[in-house]
Amino acid sequence: PRRLLTAAPPALVPSGRTGDGDGAPRPLYMDVQATTPLDPRVLDSMLPYLTAYYGNPHSRTHAYGWESEAAMEKARKQVADLIGADSREIIFTSGATESNNMAIKGVARFYKSRKKHIITTQTEHKCVLDSCRSLETEGFRITYLPVKKNGLIDLKELEAAFQPDTGLVSVMTVNNEIGVKQPIHDIGEICRERKVFFHTDAAQAIGKIPMDVNDMKIDLMSISGHKIYGPKGVGALYVRRRPRVRLEPLQSGGGQERGLRSGTVPTPLAVGLGAACEVAQQEMEYDHKRVSQLAERLVTKIMSEVPDVVMNGDREHRYPGCINLSFAYVEGESLLMALKDVALSSGSACTSASLEPSYVLRAIGTDEDLAHSSIRFGIGRFTTEEEVDYTVQKCIQHVKRLREMSPLWEMVQDGIDLKSIKWTQH
């Protein structure tokens, strides 16, 4: 299979500044919450199933099907092992968006005769919020829990939100914009006591922090391949067998994946997801330590050189590789454009097309102007110290330059309280 590769794909230079074909250097990659480069070990495991072993894993009458099925089942076990599950509880999907849709709509519709109420939070990923909104049109009631200023939910508010017909609670483990880590263990306990199913979108947490579905009393968990150095287009949904969770399938077909997700499982992608989970399990402790050190380096250097920088989200309960900073008196989009040789974002890749300030930052009570000045820095497995230092240096340089051009910054330097000014519209 190797002969088919005429040139090394960019992923093999994980975050390096490879040329883009015309000799221009590519920016440094500091946006690992959006996606991660494919780990070369994952690519190696996938290649045979893209070329020589191309059987349909659901073909039962010949060796081509059997070998693909064996590879698919091995991958299922690798995913299950990462989260302490049984491999029969893993359903392959196209990614976390599909997993979230399946979990929320599937549970709601299956139990709709008795359970018409769902609890989630205001800072969930868009696909969770949109799934809930679509269920509202079907007659379900949704409670969107607010979060505290640090981005964490108040467990007392969660307990107060339960109703006699609550069927599902959905709370993401690690937030994709501000990196805060919700008290999943406590939420699981609260839900289990009340015999309510608990779903978590763990796309940003899997493979980065230890997770055990039994210890945390999680009933459904969404997983994404491309957030853990695996391929795009594949994910998984963990569905608990005991106590059994029932789902109404979203799509009809040949009844693959225990009848919950019909369609041929793409063996190469499933193999890639499995390999990514196995690598993540081996590397998790090392990765976490290294990412923590690099994150600390980035935050300390920026904050020591630049005043009026706010870190969004709780300082303690967080995944260190996702850092969201607001630079007061600087327009976030201007800063992103100035930092064109570093690939960064001002929030979720799924909502970055809109010019609205992030709904996650609004939910934690960030002022509109600060929300507009926020940048998300993503540090991952392949990020180097040099890349962090380069990003810091450029960031400090451009924040200072943009502030010098800002009349607001000038007024603040003169001791004027901006909040006391009455702005008039012409």
Side-chain angles (χ1 to χ4, degrees), residues 124-335:
E124 293 300 302
H125 191 276
K126 199 124 175 50
C127 63
V128 167
L129 297 175
D130 282 0
S131 292
C132 288
R133 293 215 174 88
S134 111
L135 287 174
E136 284 181 295
T137 67
E138 297 174 28
F140 290 89
R141 302 183 320 284
I142 315 285
T143 297
Y144 298 96
L145 285 178
V147 293
K148 296 182 283 192
K149 285 221 37 111
N150 62 0
L152 299 174
I153 65 166
D154 185 326
L155 293 173
K156 290 205 166 41
E157 283 186 21
L158 170 64
E159 289 178 335
F162 281 91
Q163 295 174 15
D165 64 343
T166 303
L168 182 72
V169 170
S170 180
V171 179
M172 84 198 308
T173 307
V174 169
N175 187 276
N176 53 309
E177 286 194 36
I178 55 176
V180 297
K181 191 165 65 182
Q182 297 291 353
I184 296 299
H185 197 285
D186 299 337
I187 299 168
E189 293 280 358
I190 291 167
C191 293
R192 185 63 61 85
E193 272 169 31
R194 290 165 175 73
K195 295 189 166 54
V196 170
F197 292 134
F198 174 35
H199 164 253
T200 187
D201 170 1
Q204 297 286 352
I206 282 296
K208 299 184 176 84
I209 58 173
M211 296 208 66
D212 185 298
V213 289
N214 296 311
D215 181 44
M216 295 173 158
K217 304 200 168 30
I218 294 165
D219 299 302
L220 300 121
M221 180 195 278
S222 301
I223 296 169
S224 169
H226 76 105
K227 307 290 190 190
I228 56 167
Y229 311 93
K232 292 170 184 62
V234 69
L237 177 64
Y238 158 77
V239 183
R240 182 175 286 286
R241 283 168 67 87
R242 287 193 185 83
R244 191 173 179 197
V245 183
R246 308 288 297 272
L247 306 179
E248 190 176 290
L250 292 188
Q251 62 189 34
S252 315
Q256 293 92 340
E257 296 300 278
R258 299 202 347 238
L260 294 179
R261 206 272 187 184
S262 289
T264 302
V265 171
T267 312
L269 296 182
V271 166
L273 174 62
C277 286
E278 188 172 288
V279 170
Q281 198 166 7
Q282 293 161 359
E283 305 277 355
M284 194 187 303
E285 204 178 315
Y286 176 80
D287 278 352
H288 195 279
K289 191 173 161 193
R290 199 171 154 277
V291 164
S292 301
Q293 287 167 348
L294 291 176
E296 184 64 29
R297 187 181 181 96
L298 181 132
V299 174
T300 308
K301 285 193 167 194
I302 288 178
M303 289 195 163
S304 64
E305 290 280 331
V306 182
D308 297 305
V309 177
V310 177
M311 187 169 185
N312 296 305
D314 194 275
R315 277 291 186 105
E316 296 302 311
H317 303 281
R318 65 180 308 107
Y319 169 65
C322 180
I323 304 154
N324 192 305
L325 301 178
S326 289
F327 297 89
Y329 322 113
V330 172
E331 179 61 51
E333 295 300 319
S334 310
L335 184 52

Side-chain angles (χ1 to χ4, degrees), residues 347-393:
S348 165
C350 309
T351 52
S352 60
S354 82
L355 289 174
E356 285 288 298
S358 150
Y359 65 87
V360 172
L361 294 181
R362 279 212 303 255
I364 63 172
T366 307
D367 288 344
E368 186 109 346
D369 54 343
L370 268 183
H372 270 300
S373 71
S374 77
I375 300 283
R376 182 182 68 181
F377 300 85
I379 293 173
R381 180 180 294 163
F382 299 118
T383 310
T384 65
E385 210 169 84
E386 294 74 29
E387 288 172 333
V388 168
D389 290 348
Y390 183 85
T391 303
V392 166
Q393 174 216 328

